[in-house]
Amino acid sequence: DAVALHAVGGAAGRRTVAGVPIAVPAAATLPSLLKLQRALRPLQRYRPSAPAIRHTLDESATAERSARAGMVLPVFKAVERRETSLALLIDASPSMAVWDRTLEEVRQVCEQLGAFRDVQVHRLHEVPGGTPLIG
């Protein structure tokens, strides 16, 4: 995220210059993202107990095999993919708004880690009657 700044000058006897927006990167809320990334690296080696093997159509092999046989004979290949998803949950009360930037940084770190198939952010709302609602 960037913060827009406008530079405007105008003292007695000086010419006034119209403001020009300047993009300034916002400061990180986490003190050391690199240390956090290093600490989360062991998650890259995590594998669920069931193998994450899927079969997808191998188009070039299917075309080649079908051309030789004279009819369509599909060829499938095994493809490994990450099966682990990560759900980040944060309270949606107004007092938690100060944590939004930190949550976004944690989400980005987890996505860049490459250990998860999907990283989602959910917000915990309280509806009348005290029942929690995840949205």
Side-chain angles (χ1 to χ4, degrees), residues 6 17 30 44-45 62 75 88 91-92 96-97 121 128:
H6 297 280
V17 179
L30 294 172
Q44 291 174 325
R45 292 186 300 274
T62 297
V75 176
L88 300 171
D91 185 3
M96 297 302 288
V121 175

Side-chain angles (χ1 to χ4, degrees), residues 21-36:
I22 301 170
V24 178
T29 58
L30 294 172
S32 177
L33 288 177
L34 185 58
K35 286 183 181 178
L36 178 60

